Amino acid sequence: MSKVYAAITGVQGYVPEDILSNEELAKIVDTSDEWITTRTGIKERRVMKNGASSDMAAKAVEGLLHKTNTDPLDIELVIVATVTPDYPFPSTANVLCDKIGMTNAWGYDLIAACSGFIYAISTAAQFIETGRYKKVVVVGVDKMTSILDYEDRTTCVIFGDGAGAVLIEPNHEGMGIQDFILRSDGSGREYLLQPAGGSVNPASIYTVENRMHYVKQEGKQVFKFAVTNMAEVSAEIMEKNNLSSDDVAWLVPHQANLRIIDATANRMGLPKEKVMINIQKYGNTTAGTLPLCLWDYEKQLKKGDNIILSAFGGGFTWGAVYIKWAYNS
Ligand code: UT7
């Protein structure tokens, strides 16, 4: 029997309608369009004014099931990558299954910050490759504005809200996830974290008064690790699979900073035309960036395209996934 591969067979994104431009942010904190554009590449980001992460996820999954002609009752497993779950518990996957009527599925949330989507699709692939499941939904979603401090110019300009979802199914033609390299180094937690709300610092008047429920980032330190590790792991997965830069059709990089994306593409020897970029319109949506890129570029993807997804984020967590794209849109 031929090997079963886990293939993405559909992708759908959702971003809220409300746009927050750099100019508008400059009225809230001491910043400028010029600083944000040159340091990050971001021009605007989306803001969800009403609703939770599960609402964005539900919009993406509804669209995904519709476009792939899939009955919600046929979904067996749902993995939601997020650092902004609806609640500490129950899981956002649990809530999402209820909202969409995926009542035969079980699911869970996966926390790996900006690497959440690559961790989640690699995990989902195992359930498909073993033959256990036929239809798995993976969502990358974050409502970053729910944990942003609009008095901290170093973080509030970077992030935005958004969701993307993919359907993963068995493929017998060799298309789908070929390989992944996933890494983690928890000693990086001091540089990028949400300090309170967990068991280290449960919510208290002290944690609220000290603004500890917001994202804290030492940008320069994170930049140093991100630029090296994302580039290295992307080159490593190419070498491991004997891929030259000509063999790679697309790099799908986490959208944290245009300079990190450029460094990764350079290390892989890829020209700009092969790099998916939408940071200018959505900013950093954490677990949402990679599926939102796939959604934006879906029409340009062809069956058999070699695609490298690559990410770096809080934890630290990082990695790369090599996919042979399974369909023409
Ligand atoms: O997605 C998860 C992983 N995260 C990342 O990969 C993010 C990695 N880090 C970065 O992308 C960059 O470090 C940032 C975009 C966050 C910051 O860019 P930078 O070039 O590293 O700036 P910096 O932190 O070194 O700050 C340079 C200056 C500082 O002023 P002084 O000390 O030189 O006077 C900051 O106070 O820029 C100042 N600054 C700002 N100025 C205007 C910081 N934020 C802002 C701002 N507007 N929003």
Side-chain angles (χ1 to χ4, degrees), residues 222-235 260 263-264 267 312 318:
V222 178
F223 186 90
K224 254 184 2 209
F225 284 99
V227 92
T228 312
N229 287 311
M230 210 167 113
E232 277 306 312
V233 78
S234 307
I260 299 172
T264 303
R267 178 75 176 77
F312 183 92
W318 70 101

Side-chain angles (χ1 to χ4, degrees), residues 60-221:
V61 173
E62 246 167 29
L64 176 72
L65 298 184
H66 179 74
K67 82 195 270 194
T68 56
N69 215 357
T70 305
D71 186 335
L73 296 175
D74 289 340
I75 302 300
E76 297 160 292
L77 169 64
V78 177
I79 306 176
V80 176
T82 187
V83 291
T84 51
D86 285 20
Y87 313 100
F89 75 90
S91 75
T92 310
N94 211 228
V95 176
L96 178 63
C97 287
D98 176 52
K99 286 187 174 172
I100 298 294
M102 297 184 288
T103 48
N104 291 322
W106 67 285
Y108 57 91
D109 292 359
L110 188 157
I111 305 175
C114 301
S115 309
F117 187 72
I118 54 170
Y119 272 42
I121 57 170
S122 304
T123 310
Q126 308 313 304
F127 289 94
I128 299 283
E129 288 169 12
T130 55
R132 179 87 199 212
Y133 293 137
K134 302 279 182 280
K135 289 185 192 295
V136 178
V137 165
V138 172
V139 181
V141 58
D142 271 301
K143 186 183 174 186
M144 292 306 291
T145 56
S146 68
I147 54 169
L148 283 183
D149 183 352
Y150 284 96
E151 292 184 9
D152 176 6
R153 68 175 181 172
T154 68
T155 51
C156 74
V157 305
I158 297 169
F159 296 98
D161 299 336
V166 294
L167 181 63
I168 304 188
E169 297 181 275
N171 183 290
H172 299 275
E173 300 176 328
M175 302 291 146
I177 295 177
Q178 307 291 309
D179 195 13
F180 57 83
I181 303 173
L182 300 174
R183 298 260 153 76
S184 99
D185 176 2
S187 69
R189 64 190 178 279
E190 63 183 288
Y191 302 120
L192 178 52
L193 79 167
Q194 181 187 335
S199 56
V200 173
N201 297 304
S204 67
I205 290 170
Y206 177 84
T207 61
V208 172
E209 281 179 352
N210 287 282
R211 312 182 81 76
M212 292 167 66
H213 294 268
Y214 294 125
V215 178
K216 307 284 177 203
Q217 176 171 250
E218 284 184 38
K220 236 186 194 17
Q221 286 295 340

Side-chain angles (χ1 to χ4, degrees), residues 11 42 45 50 65 147 183 206 280 283 303 308-309:
V11 55
I42 301 165
R45 69 287 293 141
N50 297 301
L65 298 184
I147 54 169
R183 298 260 153 76
Y206 177 84
Q280 70 285 356
K303 187 174 172 181
I308 308 285
L309 282 71

Side-chain angles (χ1 to χ4, degrees), residues 7 31 90 113 117 123 164 169 174 201 249-250 270 272 292 298 327-328:
T31 190
F117 187 72
T123 310
E169 297 181 275
N201 297 304
W250 292 99
L270 295 183
K272 256 219 150 75
L292 280 171
E298 186 190 19
Y327 63 95
N328 298 311

